[in-house]
Structures are given as structure tokens and as C-alpha cells.
Amino acid sequence: DLQTWYLSTFAGEPGKGGRRYGPMEMCQFRQPCGLAVDKDGDVYVSDAGNNRISVILVKEKVLVPIIKANTESNMTDGNGEQAQLHAPRGITFLADNTLAVADPGQHRLRLLVT
């Protein structure tokens, strides 16, 4: 029954696209495309328009970077400051808690490990 469902904003400043980190209600995305939830309940977001992966720390109610937003996109592997993505889309956690990322702009599947 459609009357029993209610749609509300979980994170992101309503009506504003951008790349701001911070409190859930003020953070900004540009084309969020994929979500994955870890064992602690934190929500990982692939943001294709910002070429980034971020995580919403649910208990703290804040968005923080995992792979930083960048305006250039190339095939750089490395830590969260060095690595670059090109329009990441689908993300999921594998059995070993590795985050798998579809990186279609680079025609690759990427793995994010801690």
C-alpha cells in the first residue's frame, strides 16, 4: 500500500549539489549512485559526480571522506589522498569486509581495504 510509505532525506542539503563534508543535513553530493552498509551500520556512498567514496558515520551523524573528491580522474591506486576514481557507481562489501567499487569511467573494478 503506497499510503504506508514515507520518503524523507537521510543525508544531503536539500536542493543543493556539491562536495561538502560535515553534518548529514548539510553535506553535499553530486550524483550519489551507490550505497553499502558496514557491520557497524555506517553507510558508504559512491558519488559519481564528485569522483569520490565517502562514509556517513551514523552515530556521529557526519559525512567524512574515504577517497577524496577530485576534479581530475585517472587510474591512480593508493591511499585515500592519492587514489582517484572516475564516476564510481555500485559498491558492496565482500565477505572479508573489503569494499568493492565499480569504477566505470576507468573500466575497472576496484577494491578498498583498510
Side-chain angles (χ1 to χ4, degrees):
D1 181 12
L2 294 177
Q3 295 298 319
T4 61
W5 291 94
Y6 181 79
L7 180 66
S8 65
T9 300
F10 173 67
E13 187 175 3
K16 294 199 176 187
R19 65 173 60 193
R20 185 182 326 147
Y21 296 105
M24 288 171 48
E25 67 277 1
M26 297 300 293
C27 65
Q28 294 176 337
F29 303 97
R30 184 171 287 122
Q31 298 178 0
C33 293
L35 300 174
V37 180
D38 71 10
K39 61 184 178 351
D40 296 323
D42 293 325
V43 180
Y44 290 70
V45 182
S46 62
D47 186 352
N50 283 317
N51 299 315
R52 73 179 181 184
I53 303 290
S54 303
V55 61
I56 298 169
L57 303 174
V58 176
K59 290 177 186 168
E60 292 84 357
K61 297 184 179 182
V62 65
L63 178 76
V64 297
I66 298 294
I67 302 294
K68 69 176 185 166
N70 57 71
T71 54
E72 296 182 22
S73 54
N74 63 39
M75 293 192 267
T76 305
D77 288 333
N79 66 31
E81 288 291 319
Q82 300 167 332
Q84 293 188 336
L85 299 163
H86 186 192
R89 301 273 191 233
I91 57 177
T92 191
F93 281 99
L94 304 178
D96 65 356
N97 210 36
T98 298
L99 186 66
V101 180
D103 190 2
Q106 300 300 333
H107 313 288
R108 301 188 299 169
L109 297 176
R110 312 284 292 274
L111 297 177
L112 183 62
V113 296
T114 57

